[in-house]
Amino acid sequence: MASELAGRLSAERHRAFVGRVAERDLFQSAITADEPPFKVLYVFGPGGVGKTTLLREFAHLCEEAGVPANCVDARNLEPSPDSFMSTLWSTLELDAHDSPFQTLESRSERHVVLIDTYETLAPLNAWMNEAFLPRLPRNLLLVLASRNPPMADWRADPGWQSLIRSLPLHNLSQEESRAYLDERKVPSEQHRVILDFTHGHPLALSLVADVFVQRGGNIRFRPAATPDMIKTLLERFVQQVPGPAYRTALESCALVRHTTETLLSHMTKMPDAHELFEWLRGLSLIDSGPQGLFPHDLAREALVADLRWRNPTWY
């Protein structure tokens, strides 16, 4: 029964999947090629952009191609070599004395391991570089999904460049977004205002569609009237704000075109805003340019809409 339900769930997720044609084609060519063009596929992008959904689609493609695939969510792991290897043993259904490298090497068929939320394993970066990745068997394709871009060592080393393919994940295009909204039965006359607000961000599109389902579809979408959706977006973007000063820094960054350390110091009334600026700089929803830091469009609009609804005087 569990297997049947899992199959139905996978089929329904695949049916509702839209877009990502280039990403699907790249992965499919890798699992069907005689020799994969890379050993590691590194998918990265901000929270809610669809990394987990894409990994599920990759698993479905493996099922269709008859390629064994195993999925691991790194949030359930301790960031230690022992925990990582123990989980890998368990996922591959190996005995405790078996080596996953030798066991997989002895098999003739291709095998895929997909690891989600890889950013939580950042303390293992050195070990992954020196001990794990160099030992990957030739028939194993490793897919990593992270909020953070690949490590500088991977980007700078010609050796790693030939083994790792980076795959940045962006928002859906307008056509893909409309196809998703059609799939979710959102009235076409509402698409424009929804796209103007979500900018094709998959999680935002999903949350908006949920609003229509919950309210019977006969509504006029107004972002300021959906505080619960905004709250969910913000929780996904910023998993943990360290304190009130950080929240102020984030809200300040959303209200100006570009944020510099000097401007942030003035807005937060703190003589030294370096720590706050560096914290902003490290968030996956924040980009940087020649004039300073700025949030992704959806993040900016979500922060502003939430602030105006929650505390209009402070806004």
Side-chain angles (χ1 to χ4, degrees):
M1 178 64 70
S3 176
E4 179 184 347
L5 289 175
R8 290 174 59 187
L9 181 60
S10 175
E12 184 60 25
R13 284 170 172 166
H14 172 68
R15 186 190 65 79
F17 187 88
V18 299
R20 308 300 189 200
V21 175
E23 291 85 352
R24 292 175 80 257
D25 289 347
L26 174 66
F27 181 76
Q28 194 152 33
S29 66
I31 62 174
T32 56
D34 292 337
E35 186 68 28
F38 44 82
K39 299 295 296 177
V40 179
L41 181 60
Y42 192 99
V43 181
F44 66 99
V49 80
K51 298 183 294 295
T52 299
T53 301
L54 183 61
L55 259 59
R56 288 171 178 161
E57 182 65 9
F58 285 171
H60 181 85
L61 293 176
C62 287
E63 183 179 359
E64 286 187 332
V67 175
N70 297 90
C71 303
V72 176
D73 190 337
R75 284 176 295 194
N76 302 322
L77 304 182
E78 291 292 329
S80 70
D82 287 344
S83 176
F84 182 86
M85 293 303 293
S86 174
T87 300
L88 191 60
W89 267 304
S90 175
T91 299
L92 297 175
E93 299 181 347
L94 303 177
D95 293 331
H97 61 275
D98 291 336
S99 164
F101 304 108
Q102 295 177 359
T103 302
L104 290 174
E105 187 72 54
S106 67
R107 300 174 181 174
S108 58
E109 76 270 14
R110 180 73 39 77
H111 202 103
V112 175
V113 173
L114 307 112
I115 300 180
D116 201 2
T117 57
Y118 180 70
E119 68 273 8
T120 62
L121 299 181
L124 290 182
N125 282 343
W127 176 79
M128 291 288 286
N129 274 2
E130 299 165 7
F132 181 76
L133 293 179
R135 297 182 63 194
L136 287 181
R138 57 176 179 77
N139 57 342
L140 175 65
L141 175 62
L142 183 65
V143 181
L144 306 176
S146 174
R147 289 186 174 215
N148 305 320
M151 292 180 291
D153 290 349
W154 291 352
R155 299 196 301 269
D157 188 323
W160 283 119
Q161 289 174 10
S162 65
L163 297 175
I164 297 176
R165 176 70 61 87
S166 295
L167 187 60
L169 212 55
H170 304 292
N171 291 355
L172 298 176
S173 68
Q174 287 205 8
E175 293 75 15
E176 293 169 336
S177 300
R178 290 182 184 277
Y180 176 80
L181 294 175
D182 284 336
E183 174 67 30
R184 295 294 304 273
K185 310 300 186 209
V186 176
S188 58
E189 62 270 17
Q190 301 279 346
H191 288 188
R192 170 47 54 195
V193 66
I194 293 171
L195 293 182
D196 287 345
F197 174 68
T198 63
H199 301 281
H201 188 275
L203 174 63
L205 288 169
S206 175
L207 292 171
V208 170
D210 287 343
V211 170
F212 277 85
V213 171
Q214 293 166 9
R215 301 184 186 180
N218 298 317
I219 63 171
R220 181 170 176 267
F221 176 70
R222 293 184 298 119
T226 54
D228 290 342
M229 184 187 72
I230 303 300
K231 181 174 182 291
T232 302
L233 281 173
L234 293 178
E235 287 176 346
R236 190 63 173 267
F237 273 128
V238 186
Q239 294 178 322
Q240 183 177 5
V241 177
Y246 295 86
R247 170 64 65 182
T248 299
L250 188 59
E251 293 169 347
S252 300
C253 185
L255 291 174
V256 295
R257 187 175 297 277
H258 295 92
T259 299
T260 63
E261 196 169 311
T262 303
L263 179 59
L264 188 61
S265 179
H266 283 295
M267 296 186 74
T268 58
K269 297 181 173 59
M270 296 179 63
D272 183 2
H274 177 72
E275 182 178 341
L276 297 178
F277 185 84
E278 289 301 309
W279 175 77
L280 285 173
R281 197 179 195 176
L283 295 178
S284 61
L285 74 160
I286 300 293
D287 275 334
S288 60
Q291 299 180 57
L293 305 179
F294 57 94
H296 294 302
D297 290 339
L298 175 62
R300 185 191 297 277
E301 293 186 18
L303 287 162
V304 170
D306 176 70
L307 182 58
R308 291 183 70 172
W309 167 80
R310 178 171 45 81
N311 194 339
T313 303
W314 173 237
Y315 164 78

